[in-house]
Amino acid sequence: MEEEQFWKIIEQSWEDSPQIKKLRDEAKDNEASLEQLSYKLEEDITENYIKRLSKLGKDELTEFIHFLEERIYHIDRKEIHTYTDGSDDGFLYCRCFILGMGKDYYNSIDNNPSKAKFDLEAEGFGFSAYQVYEELFNEEFDRYSSHSMESCSNSNGWSE
């Protein structure tokens, strides 16, 4: 799986709910709209996402999870935490929201952390791929990449 395919699966999950996608595309930096989208992401979009992930084979899903872990790890940075705040778990769930919003939003936060908002979370979205893997293959996912999703694990992102 190429990285573009990873992002395509997330984007198609939004396209499966056109009205919610329209809200996302219009939300920009509007905090109230983004808060509403965090609920939609956790519910409707995650449901679409699970359906798409369920169509992947074992190797494809493993590669997808590795991209997910790497992208979550990449934005594990103090400069982003400054704007999202939260405990270690809370910051992880905020990063899941950033990723779940899609490539454009993710890149926007990656390039300009001040655009991140406080307390927008999508825990379910972040962990759904592991659950799908378990359900499809009757085993726990144990092929973790070298990129931990845990907060403060990216030493480059927290160095002073």
Side-chain angles (χ1 to χ4, degrees):
M1 173 178 291
E2 300 292 325
E3 185 174 354
E4 280 308 309
Q5 180 63 21
F6 166 82
W7 287 114
K8 186 176 180 181
I9 289 169
I10 294 172
E11 191 59 32
Q12 287 173 332
S13 299
W14 284 93
E15 290 170 2
D16 291 340
S17 296
Q19 291 177 323
I20 300 171
K21 181 185 180 299
K22 185 175 188 238
L23 287 174
R24 183 200 64 175
D25 294 346
E26 294 172 351
K28 306 274 187 237
D29 293 331
N30 182 305
E31 203 157 337
S33 295
L34 291 169
E35 186 175 337
Q36 182 183 12
L37 282 167
S38 72
Y39 298 113
K40 298 291 187 185
L41 175 56
E42 274 291 85
E43 296 168 8
D44 303 293
I45 304 307
T46 296
E47 186 178 315
N48 299 340
Y49 174 67
I50 288 170
K51 287 177 187 173
R52 290 191 170 281
L53 293 178
S54 296
K55 296 176 182 176
L56 299 177
K58 193 173 195 173
D59 290 340
E60 281 183 305
L61 186 53
T62 297
E63 290 172 10
F64 182 91
I65 292 171
H66 287 169
F67 277 118
L68 176 117
E69 291 169 343
E70 191 279 329
R71 295 287 79 204
I72 293 286
Y73 174 86
H74 178 74
I75 59 172
D76 175 26
R77 302 194 317 255
K78 185 176 184 178
E79 62 184 342
I80 293 174
H81 182 264
T82 299
Y83 296 97
T84 62
D85 200 25
S87 64
D88 288 350
D89 286 344
F91 182 48
L92 170 58
Y93 307 154
C94 288
R95 289 181 287 135
C96 291
F97 172 81
I98 293 167
L99 180 82
M101 287 289 287
K103 184 178 182 179
D104 290 343
Y105 187 83
Y106 178 94
N107 286 336
S108 172
I109 301 301
D110 184 25
N111 295 322
N112 188 353
S114 66
K115 289 187 174 193
K117 303 295 182 207
F118 176 76
D119 208 26
L120 297 174
E121 301 181 350
E123 175 186 3
F125 183 88
F127 291 93
S128 294
Y130 297 108
Q131 294 167 340
V132 169
Y133 184 95
E134 220 173 291
E135 289 173 15
L136 287 177
F137 308 113
N138 294 318
E139 62 188 44
E140 279 190 44
F141 185 81
D142 64 357
R143 302 172 181 194
Y144 300 100
S145 72
S146 60
H147 300 100
S148 172
M149 288 176 38
E150 295 299 319
S151 295
C152 304
S153 63
N154 179 355
S155 59
N156 292 330
W158 293 88
S159 62
E160 301 252 346

